[in-house]
Amino acid sequence: MKRIIFAAVALLTATAASAETYAIQAGRLIVDASQPARGASTVIVENGRIARIEPGATAPAGATVVDMRSRTVLPGLIDAHVHLTGDPGTPYWREAVDSNELAAVVGVKNALLTARAGFTTVRDLGAPGLSSFALRDAIRDGIVPGPRILASGGALSIVGGHGDVSGFRPEVNAALDPGGTCTGADQCALRVREWAKRGSDVIKITSTGGVLSQQGRGLEGHFDPAEIRAITSTAHRLGLKVAAHAHGARGIEDAARAGVDSIDHGTFADAAALRAVKASGAWFVPTMMAFTGVRDRLGKNIYTPVVEAKGRRALAQWGRALTEAHRTGVKIAFGTDAGVFEHGRNGEEAELMVRLGGMSPREVLISATTGAADLLGLANETGTLAPGKSADLIAVDGDPLADPAAVTRVNYVMVMGKPIPMR
Ligand SMILES: [Zn+2]
Protein backbone atom coordinates (compact mmCIF):
# COMPACT_ATOMS: atom_id res chain seq x y z
CA MET A 1 0.00 0.00 0.00
CA LYS A 2 2.77 2.37 1.03
CA ARG A 3 4.51 1.61 -2.25
CA ILE A 4 1.36 2.37 -4.28
CA ILE A 5 0.90 5.73 -2.56
CA PHE A 6 4.56 6.59 -3.16
CA ALA A 7 4.18 5.73 -6.85
CA ALA A 8 1.05 7.89 -7.13
CA VAL A 9 2.79 10.86 -5.52
CA ALA A 10 5.79 10.43 -7.81
CA LEU A 11 3.47 10.39 -10.82
CA LEU A 12 1.68 13.57 -9.69
CA THR A 13 5.02 15.28 -9.08
CA ALA A 14 6.25 14.33 -12.55
CA THR A 15 3.08 15.68 -14.18
CA ALA A 16 3.21 18.88 -12.15
CA ALA A 17 6.86 19.45 -13.03
CA SER A 18 6.21 19.49 -16.75
CA ALA A 19 3.44 22.10 -16.35
CA GLU A 20 5.58 24.28 -14.08
CA THR A 21 6.90 27.66 -15.25
CA TYR A 22 10.63 28.27 -14.76
CA ALA A 23 12.62 31.48 -14.93
CA ILE A 24 16.27 30.54 -15.49
CA GLN A 25 18.29 33.66 -14.74
CA ALA A 26 21.67 33.63 -16.49
CA GLY A 27 24.72 35.82 -15.90
CA ARG A 28 25.74 35.15 -19.49
CA LEU A 29 23.57 33.47 -22.12
CA ILE A 30 24.61 31.55 -25.23
CA VAL A 31 21.50 31.01 -27.36
CA ASP A 32 23.46 29.77 -30.39
CA ALA A 33 27.09 28.64 -30.25
CA SER A 34 27.82 30.40 -33.56
CA GLN A 35 26.76 33.80 -32.16
CA PRO A 36 28.30 36.09 -29.51
CA ALA A 37 27.09 35.43 -25.96
CA ARG A 38 24.49 37.77 -24.46
CA GLY A 39 24.75 39.42 -21.05
CA ALA A 40 22.36 38.88 -18.15
CA SER A 41 19.18 37.25 -19.47
CA THR A 42 16.28 35.10 -18.31
CA VAL A 43 14.96 32.03 -20.13
CA ILE A 44 11.25 31.47 -19.41
CA VAL A 45 10.20 27.83 -19.69
CA GLU A 46 6.55 26.77 -19.88
CA ASN A 47 5.21 23.25 -20.47
CA GLY A 48 8.64 21.86 -21.28
CA ARG A 49 9.39 24.46 -23.95
CA ILE A 50 11.17 27.79 -24.11
CA ALA A 51 8.40 30.41 -24.03
CA ARG A 52 10.59 33.50 -24.35
CA ILE A 53 13.99 34.99 -23.51
CA GLU A 54 14.09 38.33 -21.67
CA PRO A 55 17.00 40.69 -21.00
CA GLY A 56 18.10 41.03 -17.36
CA ALA A 57 16.94 38.98 -14.39
CA THR A 58 13.16 38.64 -14.49
CA ALA A 59 10.64 36.43 -12.70
CA PRO A 60 7.05 36.09 -13.90
CA ALA A 61 4.46 35.58 -11.14
CA GLY A 62 4.32 31.94 -10.01
CA ALA A 63 7.52 30.94 -11.79
CA THR A 64 10.18 28.82 -10.13
CA VAL A 65 13.31 30.98 -10.22
CA VAL A 66 16.60 29.25 -11.00
CA ASP A 67 19.40 31.62 -10.01
CA MET A 68 22.35 31.10 -12.40
CA ARG A 69 23.35 34.80 -12.37
CA SER A 70 27.01 33.94 -11.73
CA ARG A 71 27.06 31.37 -14.53
CA THR A 72 26.79 30.83 -18.27
CA VAL A 73 23.56 29.26 -19.50
CA LEU A 74 23.72 27.51 -22.86
CA PRO A 75 21.92 24.88 -24.96
CA GLY A 76 22.14 21.35 -23.54
CA LEU A 77 25.02 19.36 -25.01
CA ILE A 78 24.58 16.44 -27.41
CA ASP A 79 26.74 13.31 -27.51
CA ALA A 80 26.27 11.55 -30.86
CA HIS A 81 27.97 8.31 -29.78
CA VAL A 82 27.38 6.61 -26.44
CA HIS A 83 26.70 3.13 -25.07
CA LEU A 84 24.65 3.85 -21.94
CA THR A 85 23.95 0.19 -21.16
CA GLY A 86 27.61 -0.77 -20.67
CA ASP A 87 30.50 0.18 -18.40
CA PRO A 88 34.20 0.19 -19.34
CA GLY A 89 36.58 -2.69 -18.64
CA THR A 90 33.87 -5.34 -18.40
CA PRO A 91 35.49 -8.73 -19.28
CA TYR A 92 34.26 -9.98 -22.66
CA TRP A 93 32.94 -13.26 -21.22
CA ARG A 94 30.31 -11.32 -19.26
CA GLU A 95 28.49 -11.18 -22.59
CA ALA A 96 27.71 -14.88 -22.00
CA VAL A 97 26.58 -14.28 -18.42
CA ASP A 98 24.81 -10.92 -18.04
CA SER A 99 21.19 -10.50 -19.11
CA ASN A 100 19.83 -7.82 -21.40
CA GLU A 101 17.63 -6.77 -18.48
CA LEU A 102 20.74 -6.05 -16.40
CA ALA A 103 22.01 -3.86 -19.26
CA ALA A 104 18.84 -1.76 -19.05
CA VAL A 105 19.37 -1.23 -15.31
CA VAL A 106 23.03 -0.28 -15.87
CA GLY A 107 21.68 2.18 -18.44
CA VAL A 108 19.44 3.84 -15.84
CA LYS A 109 22.53 4.61 -13.75
CA ASN A 110 24.52 5.89 -16.71
CA ALA A 111 21.69 7.99 -18.14
CA LEU A 112 21.61 10.06 -14.95
CA LEU A 113 25.43 10.44 -14.90
CA THR A 114 25.30 11.58 -18.52
CA ALA A 115 22.53 14.11 -17.95
CA ARG A 116 24.33 15.49 -14.88
CA ALA A 117 27.38 16.02 -17.10
CA GLY A 118 25.31 18.44 -19.18
CA PHE A 119 24.23 16.13 -21.99
CA THR A 120 20.52 16.56 -22.69
CA THR A 121 20.47 14.40 -25.84
CA VAL A 122 22.50 11.32 -26.75
CA ARG A 123 22.60 8.85 -29.61
CA ASP A 124 23.02 5.33 -28.23
CA LEU A 125 24.81 3.22 -30.85
CA GLY A 126 24.82 -0.36 -29.70
CA ALA A 127 23.20 -2.12 -26.76
CA PRO A 128 22.16 -5.71 -25.97
CA GLY A 129 18.67 -6.75 -27.03
CA LEU A 130 16.05 -4.05 -26.61
CA SER A 131 17.70 -2.56 -23.50
CA SER A 132 18.41 0.85 -25.03
CA PHE A 133 14.81 1.11 -26.29
CA ALA A 134 13.48 0.35 -22.78
CA LEU A 135 15.78 3.03 -21.34
CA ARG A 136 14.81 5.57 -24.01
CA ASP A 137 11.11 5.00 -23.43
CA ALA A 138 11.40 5.11 -19.62
CA ILE A 139 13.16 8.50 -19.79
CA ARG A 140 10.66 9.82 -22.33
CA ASP A 141 7.79 8.83 -20.04
CA GLY A 142 9.40 10.45 -16.98
CA ILE A 143 9.92 7.16 -15.12
CA VAL A 144 13.65 7.77 -14.66
CA PRO A 145 15.74 10.92 -15.25
CA GLY A 146 18.14 11.13 -18.17
CA PRO A 147 18.85 12.66 -21.55
CA ARG A 148 16.66 12.36 -24.62
CA ILE A 149 17.88 9.20 -26.37
CA LEU A 150 17.99 8.23 -30.02
CA ALA A 151 18.79 4.52 -29.98
CA SER A 152 20.01 2.09 -32.63
CA GLY A 153 19.40 -1.04 -30.58
CA GLY A 154 22.01 -3.45 -31.96
CA ALA A 155 24.51 -2.92 -34.75
CA LEU A 156 24.65 -4.44 -38.24
CA SER A 157 27.84 -6.35 -38.90
CA ILE A 158 29.35 -8.96 -41.17
CA VAL A 159 29.42 -12.51 -39.82
CA GLY A 160 32.50 -12.57 -37.58
CA GLY A 161 32.72 -8.76 -37.64
CA HIS A 162 32.84 -6.16 -34.87
CA GLY A 163 29.11 -6.37 -34.14
CA ASP A 164 29.00 -10.18 -34.11
CA VAL A 165 30.06 -12.33 -31.15
CA SER A 166 33.52 -13.94 -31.27
CA GLY A 167 35.85 -15.35 -28.66
CA PHE A 168 33.78 -18.31 -27.45
CA ARG A 169 33.24 -21.88 -28.69
CA PRO A 170 31.34 -21.74 -32.02
CA GLU A 171 28.10 -23.00 -30.48
CA VAL A 172 28.31 -20.35 -27.73
CA ASN A 173 29.01 -17.61 -30.29
CA ALA A 174 25.96 -18.79 -32.23
CA ALA A 175 23.76 -18.80 -29.12
CA LEU A 176 24.78 -15.19 -28.36
CA ASP A 177 24.10 -13.96 -31.94
CA PRO A 178 22.68 -10.45 -31.44
CA GLY A 179 20.57 -10.59 -34.62
CA GLY A 180 22.47 -8.01 -36.62
CA THR A 181 24.76 -9.96 -38.95
CA CYS A 182 24.06 -10.11 -42.66
CA THR A 183 25.59 -11.25 -45.95
CA GLY A 184 24.60 -9.75 -49.27
CA ALA A 185 22.49 -6.73 -50.11
CA ASP A 186 19.09 -8.42 -49.61
CA GLN A 187 19.87 -9.81 -46.19
CA CYS A 188 21.41 -6.51 -45.05
CA ALA A 189 18.30 -4.64 -46.19
CA LEU A 190 16.20 -7.16 -44.25
CA ARG A 191 18.21 -6.51 -41.06
CA VAL A 192 17.54 -2.76 -41.40
CA ARG A 193 13.80 -3.42 -41.66
CA GLU A 194 13.89 -5.80 -38.70
CA TRP A 195 15.62 -3.25 -36.47
CA ALA A 196 13.29 -0.51 -37.69
CA LYS A 197 10.35 -2.73 -36.74
CA ARG A 198 11.79 -3.31 -33.27
CA GLY A 199 12.07 0.44 -32.70
CA SER A 200 15.44 1.77 -33.92
CA ASP A 201 15.71 5.56 -34.28
CA VAL A 202 18.96 5.18 -36.21
CA ILE A 203 20.80 2.29 -37.86
CA LYS A 204 24.31 1.53 -36.63
CA ILE A 205 26.72 -0.45 -38.79
CA THR A 206 30.23 -1.64 -38.04
CA SER A 207 31.59 -0.99 -41.52
CA THR A 208 35.12 -1.96 -40.44
CA GLY A 209 36.67 -4.06 -37.71
CA GLY A 210 36.64 -2.66 -34.19
CA VAL A 211 39.04 -2.48 -31.28
CA LEU A 212 37.14 -3.93 -28.32
CA SER A 213 35.58 -7.01 -29.91
CA GLN A 214 37.31 -10.39 -29.99
CA GLN A 215 37.28 -10.51 -33.81
CA GLY A 216 40.79 -10.81 -35.19
CA ARG A 217 40.15 -9.72 -38.77
CA GLY A 218 41.76 -6.29 -38.41
CA LEU A 219 40.38 -2.75 -38.55
CA GLU A 220 39.84 -2.37 -42.29
CA GLY A 221 36.61 -2.50 -44.29
CA HIS A 222 34.37 -5.48 -43.54
CA PHE A 223 31.16 -4.88 -45.49
CA ASP A 224 31.10 -5.01 -49.25
CA PRO A 225 30.20 -1.55 -50.68
CA ALA A 226 27.03 -3.02 -52.25
CA GLU A 227 25.94 -4.23 -48.80
CA ILE A 228 26.42 -0.75 -47.30
CA ARG A 229 24.48 0.83 -50.18
CA ALA A 230 21.60 -1.59 -49.52
CA ILE A 231 21.66 -0.59 -45.84
CA THR A 232 21.69 3.17 -46.45
CA SER A 233 19.01 3.17 -49.15
CA THR A 234 16.73 0.93 -47.09
CA ALA A 235 17.26 2.97 -43.92
CA HIS A 236 16.78 6.33 -45.64
CA ARG A 237 13.53 5.13 -47.22
CA LEU A 238 12.31 4.40 -43.68
CA GLY A 239 13.40 7.84 -42.45
CA LEU A 240 16.35 6.46 -40.51
CA LYS A 241 19.91 7.75 -40.64
CA VAL A 242 22.92 5.43 -40.69
CA ALA A 243 25.88 5.76 -38.32
CA ALA A 244 29.00 3.91 -39.46
CA HIS A 245 31.60 2.76 -36.99
CA ALA A 246 34.74 2.93 -39.17
CA HIS A 247 38.49 2.80 -38.44
CA GLY A 248 40.37 1.74 -41.61
CA ALA A 249 40.80 4.31 -44.39
CA ARG A 250 39.31 2.24 -47.24
CA GLY A 251 36.40 1.18 -45.02
CA ILE A 252 35.73 4.85 -44.23
CA GLU A 253 35.85 5.68 -47.93
CA ASP A 254 33.46 2.82 -48.81
CA ALA A 255 30.98 3.88 -46.13
CA ALA A 256 31.05 7.55 -47.17
CA ARG A 257 30.56 6.71 -50.84
CA ALA A 258 27.66 4.41 -49.91
CA GLY A 259 25.86 7.34 -48.27
CA VAL A 260 26.14 6.83 -44.51
CA ASP A 261 25.21 9.89 -42.43
CA SER A 262 28.13 9.75 -40.01
CA ILE A 263 31.59 8.23 -39.83
CA ASP A 264 32.32 7.46 -36.18
CA HIS A 265 35.92 7.08 -34.89
CA GLY A 266 37.56 7.48 -38.34
CA THR A 267 40.89 6.51 -36.80
CA PHE A 268 43.02 5.74 -39.88
CA ALA A 269 41.35 8.25 -42.24
CA ASP A 270 43.77 9.42 -44.92
CA ALA A 271 43.43 12.33 -47.36
CA ALA A 272 41.48 10.26 -49.92
CA ALA A 273 39.07 8.98 -47.26
CA LEU A 274 38.48 12.48 -45.88
CA ARG A 275 37.85 13.86 -49.38
CA ALA A 276 35.22 11.15 -49.83
CA VAL A 277 33.65 12.00 -46.46
CA LYS A 278 33.54 15.70 -47.31
CA ALA A 279 32.11 15.08 -50.79
CA SER A 280 29.41 12.80 -49.37
CA GLY A 281 28.26 15.37 -46.80
CA ALA A 282 28.61 12.82 -43.98
CA TRP A 283 29.49 14.01 -40.48
CA PHE A 284 32.64 12.93 -38.68
CA VAL A 285 32.20 11.90 -35.03
CA PRO A 286 35.77 11.77 -33.65
CA THR A 287 35.29 10.02 -30.23
CA MET A 288 38.61 11.29 -28.79
CA MET A 289 37.60 10.11 -25.31
CA ALA A 290 37.35 6.49 -26.52
CA PHE A 291 41.12 6.52 -26.92
CA THR A 292 41.55 7.50 -23.26
CA GLY A 293 39.36 4.55 -22.27
CA VAL A 294 41.61 2.20 -24.24
CA ARG A 295 44.85 3.91 -23.13
CA ASP A 296 43.93 3.61 -19.44
CA ARG A 297 43.32 -0.14 -19.74
CA LEU A 298 46.12 -1.39 -22.02
CA GLY A 299 48.75 -3.66 -20.41
CA LYS A 300 46.63 -4.36 -17.32
CA ASN A 301 45.31 -7.82 -18.19
CA ILE A 302 41.88 -6.32 -18.80
CA TYR A 303 41.90 -6.87 -22.56
CA THR A 304 42.63 -10.12 -24.40
CA PRO A 305 45.79 -10.25 -26.63
CA VAL A 306 43.74 -9.70 -29.80
CA VAL A 307 42.19 -6.54 -28.32
CA GLU A 308 45.53 -5.31 -26.90
CA ALA A 309 47.10 -5.46 -30.39
CA LYS A 310 44.25 -3.53 -32.03
CA GLY A 311 44.15 -1.02 -29.17
CA ARG A 312 47.84 -0.15 -29.49
CA ARG A 313 47.53 0.33 -33.27
CA ALA A 314 44.54 2.65 -32.88
CA LEU A 315 46.02 4.64 -29.99
CA ALA A 316 49.11 5.49 -32.10
CA GLN A 317 46.75 7.49 -34.38
CA TRP A 318 45.02 9.51 -31.63
CA GLY A 319 43.99 12.95 -32.88
CA ARG A 320 45.42 12.60 -36.40
CA ALA A 321 42.14 11.98 -38.22
CA LEU A 322 40.39 14.83 -36.39
CA THR A 323 43.21 17.26 -37.19
CA GLU A 324 43.07 16.35 -40.89
CA ALA A 325 39.26 16.28 -41.01
CA HIS A 326 39.13 19.75 -39.47
CA ARG A 327 41.71 21.05 -41.99
CA THR A 328 39.81 19.42 -44.85
CA GLY A 329 36.56 21.09 -43.83
CA VAL A 330 34.64 17.92 -42.95
CA LYS A 331 31.55 18.57 -40.79
CA ILE A 332 32.31 17.51 -37.21
CA ALA A 333 29.70 16.37 -34.67
CA PHE A 334 30.56 15.84 -31.01
CA GLY A 335 30.59 12.20 -29.88
CA THR A 336 32.62 10.33 -27.29
CA ASP A 337 31.93 6.55 -27.25
CA ALA A 338 31.08 6.77 -23.52
CA GLY A 339 30.96 3.24 -22.17
CA VAL A 340 34.48 2.64 -23.49
CA PHE A 341 35.42 5.14 -20.74
CA GLU A 342 33.40 6.09 -17.63
CA HIS A 343 29.98 7.64 -18.25
CA GLY A 344 29.71 11.23 -17.07
CA ARG A 345 33.16 12.25 -18.37
CA ASN A 346 31.72 13.07 -21.82
CA GLY A 347 32.50 16.80 -21.49
CA GLU A 348 36.25 16.09 -21.37
CA GLU A 349 36.01 15.43 -25.11
CA ALA A 350 35.83 19.21 -25.71
CA GLU A 351 39.32 19.95 -24.40
CA LEU A 352 40.76 17.02 -26.43
CA MET A 353 39.10 18.30 -29.62
CA VAL A 354 40.88 21.62 -29.09
CA ARG A 355 44.25 20.24 -27.97
CA LEU A 356 44.56 17.22 -30.29
CA GLY A 357 42.29 18.25 -33.16
CA GLY A 358 43.13 21.93 -33.56
CA MET A 359 39.52 23.09 -33.26
CA SER A 360 38.58 26.37 -31.58
CA PRO A 361 36.44 26.25 -28.41
CA ARG A 362 33.60 27.80 -30.40
CA GLU A 363 33.85 25.14 -33.15
CA VAL A 364 33.73 22.46 -30.47
CA LEU A 365 30.63 23.99 -28.86
CA ILE A 366 28.95 24.20 -32.27
CA SER A 367 29.77 20.51 -32.84
CA ALA A 368 28.11 19.63 -29.50
CA THR A 369 24.96 21.72 -30.07
CA THR A 370 23.75 22.76 -33.53
CA GLY A 371 26.15 20.36 -35.30
CA ALA A 372 25.11 17.20 -33.50
CA ALA A 373 21.45 18.32 -33.53
CA ASP A 374 21.68 18.56 -37.32
CA LEU A 375 23.25 15.08 -37.60
CA LEU A 376 20.52 13.62 -35.36
CA GLY A 377 17.72 15.31 -37.32
CA LEU A 378 16.74 17.35 -34.23
CA ALA A 379 17.69 20.85 -35.40
CA ASN A 380 14.11 22.08 -34.99
CA GLU A 381 13.89 20.71 -31.46
CA THR A 382 17.21 21.31 -29.69
CA GLY A 383 20.75 22.69 -30.10
CA THR A 384 19.86 26.38 -29.68
CA LEU A 385 17.79 28.32 -27.14
CA ALA A 386 14.82 29.92 -28.91
CA PRO A 387 11.09 30.29 -28.27
CA GLY A 388 9.22 27.11 -29.18
CA LYS A 389 12.21 24.81 -28.80
CA SER A 390 12.46 22.05 -26.21
CA ALA A 391 13.80 23.39 -22.89
CA ASP A 392 17.15 21.59 -23.05
CA LEU A 393 19.65 23.80 -21.28
CA ILE A 394 22.56 23.76 -18.87
CA ALA A 395 24.50 26.20 -16.67
CA VAL A 396 28.29 26.06 -16.34
CA ASP A 397 31.04 27.96 -14.52
CA GLY A 398 33.12 30.02 -16.97
CA ASP A 399 32.84 30.69 -20.69
CA PRO A 400 32.82 27.61 -22.94
CA LEU A 401 33.40 29.86 -25.99
CA ALA A 402 36.87 30.62 -24.59
CA ASP A 403 37.61 27.64 -22.32
CA PRO A 404 36.57 24.16 -23.57
CA ALA A 405 36.91 22.73 -20.04
CA ALA A 406 34.04 24.98 -18.88
CA VAL A 407 31.57 22.32 -20.07
CA THR A 408 32.96 19.96 -17.40
CA ARG A 409 31.80 22.41 -14.67
CA VAL A 410 28.05 21.85 -14.87
CA ASN A 411 25.77 23.27 -12.15
CA TYR A 412 22.30 22.89 -13.56
CA VAL A 413 20.65 20.72 -16.23
CA MET A 414 17.15 20.79 -17.67
CA VAL A 415 15.97 18.14 -20.15
CA MET A 416 12.72 18.80 -22.01
CA GLY A 417 11.66 21.21 -19.25
CA LYS A 418 12.48 18.85 -16.38
CA PRO A 419 15.33 19.71 -14.00
CA ILE A 420 17.78 16.83 -13.50
CA PRO A 421 18.51 16.03 -9.83
CA MET A 422 22.19 16.96 -9.45
CA ARG A 423 22.95 14.87 -6.35
ZN1 LIG B 1 30.86 2.83 -29.97
Side-chain angles (χ1 to χ4, degrees):
M1 186 60 187
K2 207 172 181 181
R3 210 175 290 168
I4 294 168
I5 291 169
F6 177 76
V9 169
L11 198 66
L12 282 172
T13 312
T15 314
S18 58
E20 204 169 331
T21 297
Y22 292 89
I24 295 118
Q25 300 176 339
R28 186 195 286 116
L29 184 71
I30 297 169
V31 296
D32 182 328
S34 67
Q35 294 170 13
R38 300 181 187 179
S41 309
T42 302
V43 181
I44 310 294
V45 172
E46 291 171 2
N47 300 316
R49 296 206 167 258
I50 297 169
R52 58 192 182 279
I53 297 170
E54 299 173 342
T58 65
T64 301
V65 173
V66 179
D67 183 359
M68 293 291 141
R69 286 178 295 170
S70 62
R71 292 173 173 135
T72 304
V73 172
L74 64 151
L77 305 174
I78 301 169
D79 191 329
H81 194 130
V82 301
H83 302 276
L84 290 176
T85 57
D87 281 321
T90 306
Y92 83 95
W93 51 263
R94 289 271 296 271
E95 195 163 5
V97 175
D98 294 344
S99 66
N100 296 344
E101 290 78 1
L102 176 64
V105 178
V106 169
V108 169
K109 167 185 74 82
N110 291 331
L112 180 55
L113 292 174
T114 304
R116 281 179 176 163
F119 290 79
T120 56
T121 301
V122 299
R123 189 170 69 158
D124 192 286
L125 294 179
L130 307 184
S131 57
S132 61
F133 299 159
L135 181 62
R136 170 196 66 194
D137 297 348
I139 292 170
R140 179 201 60 204
D141 294 346
I143 297 167
V144 295
R148 174 193 291 102
I149 297 175
L150 264 59
S152 72
L156 271 55
S157 165
I158 64 159
V159 172
H162 182 56
D164 196 3
V165 178
S166 302
F168 301 100
R169 298 160 56 115
E171 60 272 35
V172 177
N173 289 333
L176 296 174
D177 182 351
T181 60
C182 60
T183 305
D186 284 357
Q187 201 177 47
C188 290
L190 173 61
R191 294 288 175 270
V192 171
R193 289 171 180 154
E194 287 170 348
W195 274 108
K197 183 179 174 183
R198 292 182 194 122
S200 298
D201 303 304
V202 54
I203 298 298
K204 160 85 178 285
I205 70 167
T206 59
S207 68
T208 74
V211 173
L212 294 183
S213 58
Q214 303 305 315
Q215 65 86 22
R217 298 276 80 86
L219 295 169
E220 256 306 338
H222 276 180
F223 275 115
D224 183 273
E227 292 170 325
I228 310 178
R229 277 197 298 277
I231 290 167
T232 55
S233 66
T234 306
H236 290 162
R237 206 169 281 128
L238 296 172
L240 301 175
K241 299 199 181 196
V242 178
H245 153 111
H247 289 291
R250 301 289 71 78
I252 293 167
E253 202 173 339
D254 285 346
R257 288 191 203 287
V260 302
D261 299 280
S262 71
I263 297 287
D264 296 42
H265 316 306
T267 309
F268 298 93
D270 58 14
L274 290 169
R275 275 198 301 275
V277 176
K278 189 181 180 187
S280 76
W283 293 81
F284 176 43
V285 180
T287 68
M288 291 293 100
M289 280 299 286
F291 294 81
T292 69
V294 172
R295 177 197 64 195
D296 295 348
R297 289 172 182 81
L298 282 172
K300 293 181 178 167
N301 276 325
I302 293 170
Y303 298 141
T304 57
V306 67
V307 172
E308 283 273 330
K310 289 186 289 181
R312 289 183 194 282
R313 278 190 56 213
L315 194 59
Q317 301 295 315
W318 195 16
R320 286 189 192 168
L322 176 56
T323 303
E324 285 309 309
H326 180 239
R327 268 196 207 131
T328 308
V330 171
K331 296 186 293 183
I332 294 163
F334 189 104
T336 65
D337 215 359
V340 172
F341 63 94
E342 296 81 2
H343 292 276
R345 292 179 54 194
N346 316 53
E348 294 175 38
E349 178 86 14
E351 194 267 331
L352 294 177
M353 291 169 84
V354 170
R355 183 157 55 85
L356 301 176
M359 296 174 72
S360 72
R362 183 185 293 280
E363 286 171 327
V364 171
L365 197 60
I366 290 170
S367 80
T369 53
T370 46
D374 211 350
L375 165 59
L376 269 56
L378 293 173
N380 292 326
E381 190 68 4
T382 195
T384 62
L385 301 181
K389 282 206 163 176
S390 175
D392 301 333
L393 56 85
I394 65 173
V396 302
D397 284 326
D399 179 6
L401 292 174
D403 171 17
V407 298
T408 64
R409 299 188 293 268
V410 178
N411 294 282
Y412 182 82
V413 179
M414 176 176 269
V415 178
M416 296 182 276
K418 287 186 194 138
I420 294 293
M422 296 303 279
R423 63 180 66 80

